[in-house]
Amino acid sequence: MVVVEKSDFEADKSPFVSKFQRFFESVYKKEIEKLAESYPEKRSLLVDFSELEKFDFKLADALLENPDELLSAAEFAVEGMDVPTLEEERFKPHVRFFNLPEDRKILLRNIGSKHLGKLITIEGIIKQITDVLPQLKMATFRCNRCGNIYRVLQSSKQLKQPDFCSCHHRDFTLLTEDSDFIDFQKIQLQEPLEALKGNEQPTTIDVYINDDLVNQVSVGDKIELSGILRLRPTKNQSLVFGRFLECNFLEETARGFEEVEITKEEEQQIRELAKDPAIYEKLIGSVAPAIYGHEIVKEAIILQLFGGVKKILPGNQSIRGNIHVLLVGDPGVAKSQLLQAANSIAPKSIYVGGKTTTGVGLTATAVKDEFGEGGWTLKAGALVLASGGTTMADELDKMNAEDRTALHECMEQGTISVAKAGIITRFKTDTSILAAANPKLSRFDPYTPFIEQVDLPPTLVSRFDLFFMIRDVLDRTRDSEIASHILRTHQAGAKLFKARLKGEKLKKSELEAINELVAPAIEPELLRKYIAFARQNVFPTLSKEAIEIISDFYVGLRERGKEEGTYTATHRQLEGLVRLSEASARVRLSDIVEEQDAERAVRLVRSSLKDVVTDPETGKIDFDMVLTGKTHTKIEGMRTILRIVKEKAQVSDRVTVEEVLEEAKTFNIEREKANDYINELVKKGDLYRPRHGLLMPAEVK
Ligand code: ADP
Ligand code: MG
């Protein structure tokens, strides 16, 4: 005997079925007929909520308040309509509502118990997503005493068994093979980063999606969805429940800065600021005001946050507008502080690495875990979540190999690849990088080329538009200035804290003195909006004059390289110059990149090059150092040594290290250097030592 248990919903008792029927007949008849033609490939009827509201606002209200019953009623109503279907299969589509009223759009952090069982709309970015899993829909049970079979329709809550068998026992076995399943996927949704202020931590919520909604979205996607807030069954007898949203409708939304709300007055303030002749100084003064000096780095950070303009070329190729900045420096020179400061004013950003482990990695990863019910879960890292914004990557040198590869790919191609069970999935990312790293030997040595002192692959380093080397130099005047700044900052901070704690008011003069010292020229809140506004609305193009300045500087660099026999700059540097000038124009909300913008870009690039690609042995600017990790003189030197050994090996099979060192001297290579080069050539396998004190080239030619 087979008994089908009634579901919770009793259609004949619900007054809503006929109401929905009238609504569908008069407003959605055509859509339903079309859907029936392509059923079951397409199996959702999408209904604009505002249409329902117009037709019967009481019904619409009831849907929001009691979605469990009303969604069933709506589906029952569609099912009962007289439409021609192609397949034999029963026409039983989902009904999904979009465009819910504004007051149903709830911020993730504001979701509370009062929303339980209600239909709400939320927006967020997907942080984790599971593989598609089977979810029980129609469960088949067998009574262990008499063998009766029961079919029970499941909802998303707990497993529902028949109450009692007709033999008065309650002892069933679930027959999975005779049950029906639908596709299911679990998502962890996180608040959009641009909705967070400063360094706030984002809230998350789990979302369950099923059937035709699965596999529509992935990590890093920003989505808006509506659904019913439910309690998650807990395994133990706890009084506190988890919660999740059962999704009814979802759609991808644009990944802009829409969450940053800018009022008319604020826009006016921003436009005023942009006209201020001292705006660049004000902006620089607003980045980490408690940090003394480092103006050029702060200027670079400002331009990075405003960003260059992304270009789309015919044939769908694109050139990145993101500006990447690398800070390498001695410990304790405020690198981390600068990154944190940038994070607090960026409209959309994530800080990773260093001491504050937020649990977010850099790249996306696939793991098997509890969230995925034992199956695969795809987890988004910072580069994916901050897409469209900036990632602050601290202590880059301590990064694991996986993240390093990801960073490389992200900066080079604007994608991230994730390997999962042997299959590679690729994501688009569009993130600018502000990175900091310590030198290899913990302290900089001014006599060794930059690239040899950072533990980063040269190909990665060469992706940055600007690099700064921050050295902790002993300098009496500067030291005392910094010391006084730090001490006065601490003093002021303590005063403010005490006043706040005790509810006291500071004297006006005291407050002014503090403001003078550490208050940013522009409040962080307004600055975030300023940056978001500029990025969203201003897309400057190069003027003739700007082109001339950039081109002169670039050609000059290449010319000098040619004369000096070094390789100085690549087209990547040229593109970097353009991006920086565009960012500079954006600060003024100017549609045109003017001379002053190009000059600012040139000044920054020149300063950055001076730090990084100057060969300490010759004082020449040398890009080989960045591209290959070796200085030009070093490459030359190694080449010379190799040639010497090869020549000697032609005439003798006993080439001593001693005679090679002697000969190297005639090429102006000192013993010590020559020894270094020999060691390096041996390490690379170009030379080998047949016996102690002897050398042979790996191949004699
Ligand atoms: P890093 O990341 O480079 O190792 P941190 O950012 O952790 O250094 O800075 C170490 C400390 O020194 C911080 O408390 C910072 O405020 C202080 N500090 C370093 N340089 C300066 C400076 N120029 N002005 C003010 N404070 C500084
Ligand atoms: Mg640090």
Side-chain angles (χ1 to χ4, degrees):
M1 183 175 81
V2 176
V3 182
V4 177
E5 285 261 319
K6 280 182 292 188
S7 67
D8 285 345
F9 178 68
E10 296 173 53
D12 43 347
K13 289 203 192 131
S14 173
F16 301 114
V17 176
S18 58
K19 288 187 179 168
F20 270 117
Q21 240 152 12
R22 273 199 298 277
F23 168 63
F24 288 137
E25 280 291 346
S26 56
V27 187
Y28 273 86
K29 182 89 182 179
K30 272 213 188 69
E31 277 86 351
I32 293 171
E33 277 169 356
K34 231 173 93 196
L35 181 65
E37 275 173 36
S38 49
Y39 190 84
E41 274 82 68
K42 290 222 174 85
R43 47 189 185 278
S44 283
L45 176 69
L46 302 183
V47 179
D48 185 342
F49 185 86
S50 66
E51 294 282 347
L52 180 66
E53 227 173 6
K54 256 188 276 168
F55 188 83
D56 182 345
F57 73 90
K58 277 192 183 152
L59 188 62
D61 266 358
L63 173 66
L64 297 174
E65 287 306 308
N66 185 11
D68 272 322
E69 183 181 351
L70 273 91
L71 281 174
S72 298
E75 287 180 0
F76 201 84
V78 176
E79 240 179 275
M81 279 174 71
D82 185 24
V83 286
T85 49
L86 286 182
E87 304 259 337
E88 286 300 290
E89 214 165 324
R90 223 171 111 204
F91 182 54
K92 212 176 167 343
H94 304 278
V95 182
R96 305 194 185 278
F97 290 91
F98 64 94
N99 202 10
L100 260 51
E102 276 303 315
D103 62 0
R104 287 289 158 155
K105 288 192 179 155
I106 315 289
L107 290 179
L108 249 54
R109 63 181 53 198
N110 293 340
I111 294 179
S113 307
K114 65 172 184 221
H115 299 117
L116 281 171
K118 307 275 156 68
L119 195 58
I120 57 172
T121 295
I122 56 173
E123 189 178 37
I125 175 165
I126 300 178
K127 193 174 173 200
Q128 299 193 46
I129 190 164
T130 65
D131 262 353
V132 175
L133 301 164
Q135 185 186 26
L136 196 56
K137 188 72 194 169
M138 181 66 89
T140 301
F141 292 95
R142 188 184 55 220
C143 173
N144 292 334
R145 309 291 173 108
C146 68
N148 260 358
I149 298 292
Y150 291 87
R151 305 262 288 161
V152 184
L153 189 68
Q154 303 291 320
S155 61
S156 66
K157 299 165 211 165
Q158 222 139 5
L159 177 69
K160 211 159 60 192
Q161 296 199 23
D163 285 341
F164 283 97
C165 181
S166 50
C167 69
H168 304 299
H169 285 102
R170 194 168 193 226
D171 179 14
F172 300 100
T173 301
L174 173 67
L175 306 175
T176 46
E177 268 156 41
D178 298 324
S179 300
D180 300 330
F181 292 85
I182 52 167
D183 286 341
F184 166 85
Q185 226 175 355
K186 202 158 90 180
I187 289 175
Q188 190 185 48
L189 201 69
Q190 171 181 308
E191 278 179 289
L193 292 174
E194 57 274 29
L196 303 175
K197 296 188 179 76
N199 293 326
E200 276 174 356
Q201 285 300 312
T203 314
T204 61
I205 191 168
D206 291 354
V207 177
Y208 293 3
I209 56 178
N210 63 30
D211 204 25
D212 54 343
L213 293 182
V214 306
N215 276 341
Q216 303 290 316
V217 288
S218 191
V219 287
D221 287 346
K222 191 166 153 194
I223 59 173
E224 185 173 290
L225 59 88
S226 51
I228 307 170
L229 187 70
R230 296 195 189 285
L231 291 179
R232 192 189 5 240
T234 45
K235 288 188 188 82
N236 49 24
Q237 300 280 308
S238 162
L239 296 179
V240 182
F241 287 78
R243 52 182 196 192
F244 68 95
L245 201 80
E246 184 182 315
C247 182
N248 173 252
F249 173 81
L250 70 80
E251 68 183 330
E252 245 187 278
T253 53
R255 292 195 190 175
F257 293 108
E258 296 80 18
E259 309 299 319
V260 183
E261 269 177 45
I262 300 169
T263 64
K264 276 268 159 284
E265 293 87 73
E266 283 164 342
E267 185 179 328
Q268 196 48 42
Q269 272 178 294
I270 290 167
R271 291 192 184 280
E272 286 299 318
L273 279 171
K275 275 189 262 172
D276 189 333
I279 184 58
Y280 294 95
E281 288 75 28
K282 277 196 173 165
L283 286 170
I284 293 165
S286 305
V287 182
I291 299 300
Y292 179 87
H294 298 315
E295 275 80 14
I296 192 111
V297 178
K298 292 181 179 180
E299 188 172 6
I301 289 175
I302 283 293
L303 293 193
Q304 173 181 46
L305 293 180
F306 277 85
V309 178
K310 184 174 175 167
K311 288 115 193 159
I312 311 278
L313 303 178
N316 237 351
Q317 255 207 314
S318 64
I319 303 175
R320 71 172 154 102
N322 290 325
I323 296 169
H324 303 313
V325 179
L326 174 64
L327 315 179
V328 182
D330 293 331
V333 292
K335 297 184 299 297
S336 298
Q337 292 282 327
L338 285 165
L339 260 58
Q340 297 271 20
N343 189 36
S344 70
I345 52 173
K348 181 174 188 178
S349 64
I350 298 188
Y351 173 94
V352 278
K355 285 149 218 140
T356 50
T357 34
T358 46
V360 187
L362 209 49
T363 179
T365 46
V367 290
K368 285 193 166 177
D369 67 359
E370 206 179 316
F371 185 78
E373 312 287 338
W376 289 101
T377 301
L378 202 54
K379 291 179 192 264
L383 295 175
V384 181
L385 292 174
S387 189
T390 314
T391 296
M392 321 303 175
D394 204 355
E395 312 214 335
L396 206 59
D397 44 321
K398 295 195 184 66
M399 196 170 46
N400 62 33
E402 192 185 25
D403 278 347
R404 190 174 290 188
T405 314
L407 192 62
H408 215 282
E409 186 187 341
C410 169
M411 294 174 79
E412 197 162 295
Q413 280 138 21
T415 56
I416 291 219
S417 300
V418 182
K420 183 186 82 178
I423 299 163
I424 306 264
T425 321
R426 191 156 282 145
F427 300 93
K428 271 201 164 34
T429 57
D430 185 9
T431 316
S432 57
I433 314 281
L434 173 60
N438 290 307
K440 227 190 273 186
L441 298 168
S442 88
R443 226 157 234 295
F444 263 120
D445 165 10
Y447 304 106
T448 310
F450 170 87
I451 198 72
E452 287 178 21
Q453 302 196 57
V454 289
D455 205 1
L456 297 171
T459 43
L460 180 61
V461 175
S462 70
R463 297 285 157 192
F464 286 92
D465 297 291
L466 291 173
F467 351 69
F468 295 98
M469 183 156 118
I470 310 180
R471 292 189 36 222
D472 188 7
V473 282
L474 294 175
D475 174 335
R476 210 186 153 79
T477 357
R478 208 184 122 79
D479 284 349
S480 75
E481 275 166 10
I482 295 185
S484 130
H485 187 86
I486 294 179
L487 295 174
R488 281 188 300 152
T489 305
H490 280 233
Q491 191 187 32
K495 258 190 209 156
L496 267 184
F497 182 72
K498 184 178 160 210
R500 188 168 302 166
L501 198 68
K502 300 216 158 172
E504 291 167 0
K505 267 213 157 111
L506 286 176
K507 271 194 240 121
K508 200 160 165 245
S509 60
E510 275 180 314
L511 216 59
E512 270 169 12
I514 292 173
N515 280 343
E516 173 90 17
L517 184 67
V518 281
I522 304 168
E523 286 298 323
E525 240 349 77
L526 185 61
L527 183 48
R528 281 180 72 229
K529 294 182 179 186
Y530 185 175
I531 294 167
F533 182 80
R535 286 181 71 127
Q536 234 176 347
N537 297 298
V538 188
F539 301 91
T541 44
L542 294 164
S543 66
K544 209 171 94 248
E545 293 78 16
I547 289 181
E548 227 162 77
I549 292 170
I550 293 173
S551 143
D552 279 356
F553 174 67
Y554 178 70
V555 173
L557 266 185
R558 308 245 324 163
E559 283 282 300
R560 247 171 70 195
K562 217 168 90 189
E563 279 165 24
E564 296 174 355
T566 59
Y567 182 62
T568 52
T570 68
H571 302 299
R572 228 180 265 145
Q573 274 72 47
L574 182 59
E575 287 179 10
L577 282 160
V578 174
R579 281 189 280 272
L580 289 164
S581 350
E582 287 164 348
S584 166
R586 266 187 170 164
V587 167
R588 294 195 316 283
L589 307 179
S590 161
D591 284 331
I592 296 164
V593 179
E594 293 172 11
E595 274 172 64
Q596 56 159 309
D597 301 313
E599 277 160 5
R600 178 165 291 107
V602 164
R603 177 165 51 74
L604 278 165
V605 168
R606 184 174 278 146
S607 153
S608 153
L609 290 181
K610 184 172 93 290
D611 271 2
V612 176
V613 293
T614 308
D615 185 339
E617 284 180 39
T618 61
K620 290 177 190 171
I621 286 186
D622 184 350
F623 255 84
D624 272 346
M625 288 197 329
V626 174
L627 297 174
T628 63
K630 295 186 183 60
T631 61
H632 179 71
T633 40
K634 186 168 170 188
I635 294 177
E636 276 299 303
M638 283 168 62
R639 239 183 249 142
T640 308
I641 298 279
L642 190 60
R643 207 180 55 234
I644 295 172
V645 179
K646 279 184 182 173
E647 274 169 12
K648 293 197 178 295
Q650 298 268 345
V651 291
S652 154
D653 46 13
R654 250 185 75 89
V655 184
T656 65
V657 173
E658 200 44 51
E659 61 184 312
V660 175
L661 293 180
E662 276 304 306
E663 175 114 15
K665 229 187 257 171
T666 66
F667 289 93
N668 277 331
I669 306 175
E670 294 159 32
R671 278 184 80 88
E672 202 181 320
K673 273 263 138 56
N675 246 325
D676 283 351
Y677 297 158
I678 290 171
N679 287 338
E680 192 135 340
L681 285 163
V682 171
K683 208 158 69 192
K684 274 178 58 196
D686 290 329
L687 292 181
Y688 69 98
R689 301 179 200 271
R691 272 215 327 255
H692 184 71
L694 296 188
L695 282 173
M696 275 310 254
E699 39 180 341
V700 189
K701 266 187 197 125

